[in-house]
Amino acid sequence: MTKWFVYVLGLALLVIVTGALLWAGHGDVHEVRMYNVHPEDPTRRNVFVPDFLVIEPGDRVRFVNVDGGHNSESIDNMYPGASEGTMMEPAETERWSGRISQSFEVRLSDIGIFGYKDAQYYMSSGMAGMIVVLDDGQWDPAIDEEIAYIEEYVTQKGKAIETFERLWAQVGALKAGD
């Protein structure tokens, strides 16, 4: 009986480990690099490349700190479900705050728009970006409500205003199917 128990326990453990390894590989990995100077346009300083991504639920985004001195963190109230939370109880969704000069990865499962920034260069250089999560590349009408909430409650400052004007234009083109 004990040999049988050990065999079943070992088999169960194998199934659990295999499932965990398969789940860890679920979704594509997209890379966003953080630079002091844009690699193709030296007039642009302190940038994310690319600063606009469209991904699928469950995909991962790897933020790679190329030059050091940068981080990536979610922008307050600029993530799916932000309108459902309060200051005392924020909405349950994926948010992140990477450490300065560290590369890291985040998995995004919620459909919608995620805004992110570099804490240090957000206002002075406009170092910010946007990730749009769409299921099978299809626009979800709930994102329109999210955009209305963001427009009302999220105020960009400094050079980030210019960055987000460009990013919102890309969202508009995406929604229109361009």
Side-chain angles (χ1 to χ4, degrees), residues 34 65 67-73 97-104 117-121:
M34 299 177 262
N65 208 314
D67 295 326
H70 299 290
N71 82 322
S72 170
E73 61 184 49
S97 182
R99 295 172 57 189
I100 301 283
S101 297
Q102 298 293 311
S103 298
F104 70 99
K117 65 182 180 179
D118 177 297
Q120 184 173 355
Y121 295 106

PDB file of all heavy atoms in Angstrom, residues 34 65 67-73 97-104 117-121:
ATOM      1  N   MET A  34      13.879  50.714 -22.144  1.00  0.00           N
ATOM      2  CA  MET A  34      13.961  52.046 -21.550  1.00  0.00           C
ATOM      3  C   MET A  34      15.336  52.637 -21.876  1.00  0.00           C
ATOM      4  O   MET A  34      16.360  52.054 -21.529  1.00  0.00           O
ATOM      5  CB  MET A  34      13.769  51.944 -20.031  1.00  0.00           C
ATOM      6  CG  MET A  34      12.416  51.373 -19.643  1.00  0.00           C
ATOM      7  SD  MET A  34      12.217  51.159 -17.858  1.00  0.00           S
ATOM      8  CE  MET A  34      12.611  49.406 -17.689  1.00  0.00           C
ATOM      9  N   ASN A  65      15.654  47.637 -18.886  1.00  0.00           N
ATOM     10  CA  ASN A  65      16.350  48.873 -18.576  1.00  0.00           C
ATOM     11  C   ASN A  65      17.701  48.859 -19.288  1.00  0.00           C
ATOM     12  O   ASN A  65      18.660  48.281 -18.804  1.00  0.00           O
ATOM     13  CB  ASN A  65      16.522  48.996 -17.061  1.00  0.00           C
ATOM     14  CG  ASN A  65      16.589  50.429 -16.638  1.00  0.00           C
ATOM     15  OD1 ASN A  65      17.296  51.218 -17.245  1.00  0.00           O
ATOM     16  ND2 ASN A  65      15.844  50.752 -15.605  1.00  0.00           N
ATOM     17  N   ASP A  67      19.709  51.590 -20.411  1.00  0.00           N
ATOM     18  CA  ASP A  67      20.710  52.576 -20.011  1.00  0.00           C
ATOM     19  C   ASP A  67      20.786  52.828 -18.511  1.00  0.00           C
ATOM     20  O   ASP A  67      21.647  53.572 -18.055  1.00  0.00           O
ATOM     21  CB  ASP A  67      20.438  53.913 -20.715  1.00  0.00           C
ATOM     22  CG  ASP A  67      20.616  53.803 -22.222  1.00  0.00           C
ATOM     23  OD1 ASP A  67      21.490  53.038 -22.662  1.00  0.00           O
ATOM     24  OD2 ASP A  67      19.882  54.491 -22.956  1.00  0.00           O
ATOM     25  N   GLY A  68      19.893  52.274 -17.733  1.00  0.00           N
ATOM     26  CA  GLY A  68      19.888  52.510 -16.291  1.00  0.00           C
ATOM     27  C   GLY A  68      19.211  53.819 -15.938  1.00  0.00           C
ATOM     28  O   GLY A  68      19.027  54.697 -16.779  1.00  0.00           O
ATOM     29  N   GLY A  69      18.816  53.936 -14.684  1.00  0.00           N
ATOM     30  CA  GLY A  69      18.202  55.174 -14.195  1.00  0.00           C
ATOM     31  C   GLY A  69      16.724  55.310 -14.496  1.00  0.00           C
ATOM     32  O   GLY A  69      16.150  56.368 -14.259  1.00  0.00           O
ATOM     33  N   HIS A  70      16.088  54.263 -15.036  1.00  0.00           N
ATOM     34  CA  HIS A  70      14.673  54.332 -15.391  1.00  0.00           C
ATOM     35  C   HIS A  70      13.871  53.274 -14.650  1.00  0.00           C
ATOM     36  O   HIS A  70      14.410  52.293 -14.160  1.00  0.00           O
ATOM     37  CB  HIS A  70      14.488  54.119 -16.898  1.00  0.00           C
ATOM     38  CG  HIS A  70      15.170  55.158 -17.721  1.00  0.00           C
ATOM     39  ND1 HIS A  70      14.732  56.462 -17.782  1.00  0.00           N
ATOM     40  CD2 HIS A  70      16.277  55.101 -18.506  1.00  0.00           C
ATOM     41  CE1 HIS A  70      15.531  57.158 -18.575  1.00  0.00           C
ATOM     42  NE2 HIS A  70      16.486  56.344 -19.029  1.00  0.00           N
ATOM     43  N   ASN A  71      12.563  53.504 -14.594  1.00  0.00           N
ATOM     44  CA  ASN A  71      11.640  52.497 -14.097  1.00  0.00           C
ATOM     45  C   ASN A  71      10.352  52.580 -14.912  1.00  0.00           C
ATOM     46  O   ASN A  71      10.192  53.460 -15.747  1.00  0.00           O
ATOM     47  CB  ASN A  71      11.353  52.669 -12.599  1.00  0.00           C
ATOM     48  CG  ASN A  71      10.289  53.710 -12.311  1.00  0.00           C
ATOM     49  OD1 ASN A  71      10.222  54.737 -12.963  1.00  0.00           O
ATOM     50  ND2 ASN A  71       9.472  53.440 -11.325  1.00  0.00           N
ATOM     51  N   SER A  72       9.454  51.663 -14.671  1.00  0.00           N
ATOM     52  CA  SER A  72       8.124  51.697 -15.265  1.00  0.00           C
ATOM     53  C   SER A  72       7.140  51.429 -14.151  1.00  0.00           C
ATOM     54  O   SER A  72       7.330  50.504 -13.355  1.00  0.00           O
ATOM     55  CB  SER A  72       7.985  50.630 -16.354  1.00  0.00           C
ATOM     56  OG  SER A  72       6.628  50.530 -16.760  1.00  0.00           O
ATOM     57  N   GLU A  73       6.110  52.265 -14.096  1.00  0.00           N
ATOM     58  CA  GLU A  73       5.054  52.052 -13.100  1.00  0.00           C
ATOM     59  C   GLU A  73       3.723  52.476 -13.685  1.00  0.00           C
ATOM     60  O   GLU A  73       3.649  53.353 -14.549  1.00  0.00           O
ATOM     61  CB  GLU A  73       5.347  52.799 -11.800  1.00  0.00           C
ATOM     62  CG  GLU A  73       5.450  54.282 -11.938  1.00  0.00           C
ATOM     63  CD  GLU A  73       5.849  54.961 -10.629  1.00  0.00           C
ATOM     64  OE1 GLU A  73       6.820  54.515  -9.984  1.00  0.00           O
ATOM     65  OE2 GLU A  73       5.171  55.939 -10.259  1.00  0.00           O
ATOM     66  N   SER A  97       4.952  48.598 -10.243  1.00  0.00           N
ATOM     67  CA  SER A  97       5.901  49.661  -9.955  1.00  0.00           C
ATOM     68  C   SER A  97       7.284  49.031  -9.919  1.00  0.00           C
ATOM     69  O   SER A  97       7.678  48.429  -8.919  1.00  0.00           O
ATOM     70  CB  SER A  97       5.573  50.335  -8.614  1.00  0.00           C
ATOM     71  OG  SER A  97       6.490  51.388  -8.382  1.00  0.00           O
ATOM     72  N   GLY A  98       7.993  49.145 -11.032  1.00  0.00           N
ATOM     73  CA  GLY A  98       9.334  48.584 -11.117  1.00  0.00           C
ATOM     74  C   GLY A  98      10.340  49.456 -10.385  1.00  0.00           C
ATOM     75  O   GLY A  98      10.133  50.654 -10.210  1.00  0.00           O
ATOM     76  N   ARG A  99      11.408  48.838  -9.982  1.00  0.00           N
ATOM     77  CA  ARG A  99      12.471  49.571  -9.286  1.00  0.00           C
ATOM     78  C   ARG A  99      13.379  50.272 -10.296  1.00  0.00           C
ATOM     79  O   ARG A  99      13.563  49.806 -11.408  1.00  0.00           O
ATOM     80  CB  ARG A  99      13.262  48.604  -8.423  1.00  0.00           C
ATOM     81  CG  ARG A  99      12.384  48.024  -7.297  1.00  0.00           C
ATOM     82  CD  ARG A  99      13.043  46.933  -6.536  1.00  0.00           C
ATOM     83  NE  ARG A  99      14.306  47.395  -5.955  1.00  0.00           N
ATOM     84  CZ  ARG A  99      15.166  46.594  -5.380  1.00  0.00           C
ATOM     85  NH1 ARG A  99      14.933  45.306  -5.298  1.00  0.00           N
ATOM     86  NH2 ARG A  99      16.287  47.072  -4.877  1.00  0.00           N
ATOM     87  N   ILE A 100      13.943  51.378  -9.869  1.00  0.00           N
ATOM     88  CA  ILE A 100      14.862  52.147 -10.716  1.00  0.00           C
ATOM     89  C   ILE A 100      16.018  51.247 -11.167  1.00  0.00           C
ATOM     90  O   ILE A 100      16.583  50.497 -10.376  1.00  0.00           O
ATOM     91  CB  ILE A 100      15.417  53.372  -9.961  1.00  0.00           C
ATOM     92  CG1 ILE A 100      14.288  54.303  -9.509  1.00  0.00           C
ATOM     93  CG2 ILE A 100      16.464  54.120 -10.798  1.00  0.00           C
ATOM     94  CD1 ILE A 100      13.692  55.167 -10.571  1.00  0.00           C
ATOM     95  N   SER A 101      16.344  51.319 -12.449  1.00  0.00           N
ATOM     96  CA  SER A 101      17.460  50.593 -13.080  1.00  0.00           C
ATOM     97  C   SER A 101      17.292  49.077 -13.089  1.00  0.00           C
ATOM     98  O   SER A 101      18.252  48.362 -13.354  1.00  0.00           O
ATOM     99  CB  SER A 101      18.800  50.951 -12.417  1.00  0.00           C
ATOM    100  OG  SER A 101      19.071  52.325 -12.598  1.00  0.00           O
ATOM    101  N   GLN A 102      16.086  48.585 -12.848  1.00  0.00           N
ATOM    102  CA  GLN A 102      15.837  47.144 -12.850  1.00  0.00           C
ATOM    103  C   GLN A 102      14.916  46.760 -14.004  1.00  0.00           C
ATOM    104  O   GLN A 102      13.939  47.451 -14.271  1.00  0.00           O
ATOM    105  CB  GLN A 102      15.177  46.702 -11.534  1.00  0.00           C
ATOM    106  CG  GLN A 102      16.032  46.945 -10.310  1.00  0.00           C
ATOM    107  CD  GLN A 102      17.271  46.074 -10.310  1.00  0.00           C
ATOM    108  OE1 GLN A 102      17.201  44.876 -10.522  1.00  0.00           O
ATOM    109  NE2 GLN A 102      18.410  46.689 -10.067  1.00  0.00           N
ATOM    110  N   SER A 103      15.221  45.668 -14.668  1.00  0.00           N
ATOM    111  CA  SER A 103      14.324  45.103 -15.676  1.00  0.00           C
ATOM    112  C   SER A 103      13.360  44.176 -14.955  1.00  0.00           C
ATOM    113  O   SER A 103      13.702  43.589 -13.919  1.00  0.00           O
ATOM    114  CB  SER A 103      15.125  44.332 -16.722  1.00  0.00           C
ATOM    115  OG  SER A 103      16.012  45.202 -17.405  1.00  0.00           O
ATOM    116  N   PHE A 104      12.152  44.045 -15.473  1.00  0.00           N
ATOM    117  CA  PHE A 104      11.162  43.174 -14.859  1.00  0.00           C
ATOM    118  C   PHE A 104      10.075  42.852 -15.882  1.00  0.00           C
ATOM    119  O   PHE A 104      10.052  43.395 -16.986  1.00  0.00           O
ATOM    120  CB  PHE A 104      10.553  43.801 -13.598  1.00  0.00           C
ATOM    121  CG  PHE A 104       9.663  44.977 -13.888  1.00  0.00           C
ATOM    122  CD1 PHE A 104       8.282  44.820 -13.922  1.00  0.00           C
ATOM    123  CD2 PHE A 104      10.192  46.223 -14.144  1.00  0.00           C
ATOM    124  CE1 PHE A 104       7.462  45.902 -14.197  1.00  0.00           C
ATOM    125  CE2 PHE A 104       9.383  47.304 -14.424  1.00  0.00           C
ATOM    126  CZ  PHE A 104       8.005  47.142 -14.453  1.00  0.00           C
ATOM    127  N   LYS A 117       4.453  54.976 -16.767  1.00  0.00           N
ATOM    128  CA  LYS A 117       5.389  56.102 -16.809  1.00  0.00           C
ATOM    129  C   LYS A 117       6.689  55.729 -16.131  1.00  0.00           C
ATOM    130  O   LYS A 117       6.770  54.744 -15.406  1.00  0.00           O
ATOM    131  CB  LYS A 117       4.782  57.296 -16.088  1.00  0.00           C
ATOM    132  CG  LYS A 117       4.581  57.036 -14.595  1.00  0.00           C
ATOM    133  CD  LYS A 117       3.936  58.202 -13.893  1.00  0.00           C
ATOM    134  CE  LYS A 117       3.759  57.900 -12.399  1.00  0.00           C
ATOM    135  NZ  LYS A 117       3.153  59.017 -11.703  1.00  0.00           N
ATOM    136  N   ASP A 118       7.695  56.548 -16.383  1.00  0.00           N
ATOM    137  CA  ASP A 118       8.931  56.527 -15.612  1.00  0.00           C
ATOM    138  C   ASP A 118       8.742  57.616 -14.556  1.00  0.00           C
ATOM    139  O   ASP A 118       8.480  58.769 -14.891  1.00  0.00           O
ATOM    140  CB  ASP A 118      10.125  56.852 -16.509  1.00  0.00           C
ATOM    141  CG  ASP A 118      11.431  56.908 -15.750  1.00  0.00           C
ATOM    142  OD1 ASP A 118      11.561  57.786 -14.868  1.00  0.00           O
ATOM    143  OD2 ASP A 118      12.323  56.100 -16.036  1.00  0.00           O
ATOM    144  N   ALA A 119       8.843  57.246 -13.284  1.00  0.00           N
ATOM    145  CA  ALA A 119       8.568  58.189 -12.200  1.00  0.00           C
ATOM    146  C   ALA A 119       9.441  59.440 -12.276  1.00  0.00           C
ATOM    147  O   ALA A 119       8.985  60.541 -12.001  1.00  0.00           O
ATOM    148  CB  ALA A 119       8.750  57.495 -10.851  1.00  0.00           C
ATOM    149  N   GLN A 120      10.687  59.279 -12.680  1.00  0.00           N
ATOM    150  CA  GLN A 120      11.613  60.401 -12.680  1.00  0.00           C
ATOM    151  C   GLN A 120      11.452  61.305 -13.912  1.00  0.00           C
ATOM    152  O   GLN A 120      11.564  62.517 -13.816  1.00  0.00           O
ATOM    153  CB  GLN A 120      13.053  59.893 -12.602  1.00  0.00           C
ATOM    154  CG  GLN A 120      14.076  60.989 -12.493  1.00  0.00           C
ATOM    155  CD  GLN A 120      15.471  60.438 -12.254  1.00  0.00           C
ATOM    156  OE1 GLN A 120      15.681  59.256 -12.074  1.00  0.00           O
ATOM    157  NE2 GLN A 120      16.445  61.328 -12.260  1.00  0.00           N
ATOM    158  N   TYR A 121      11.211  60.711 -15.080  1.00  0.00           N
ATOM    159  CA  TYR A 121      11.225  61.493 -16.325  1.00  0.00           C
ATOM    160  C   TYR A 121       9.844  61.676 -16.958  1.00  0.00           C
ATOM    161  O   TYR A 121       9.733  62.099 -18.097  1.00  0.00           O
ATOM    162  CB  TYR A 121      12.166  60.818 -17.338  1.00  0.00           C
ATOM    163  CG  TYR A 121      13.591  60.836 -16.865  1.00  0.00           C
ATOM    164  CD1 TYR A 121      14.195  59.681 -16.382  1.00  0.00           C
ATOM    165  CD2 TYR A 121      14.332  62.013 -16.884  1.00  0.00           C
ATOM    166  CE1 TYR A 121      15.499  59.691 -15.931  1.00  0.00           C
ATOM    167  CE2 TYR A 121      15.638  62.034 -16.422  1.00  0.00           C
ATOM    168  CZ  TYR A 121      16.221  60.871 -15.952  1.00  0.00           C
ATOM    169  OH  TYR A 121      17.507  60.888 -15.501  1.00  0.00           O
TER     170      TYR A 121
END
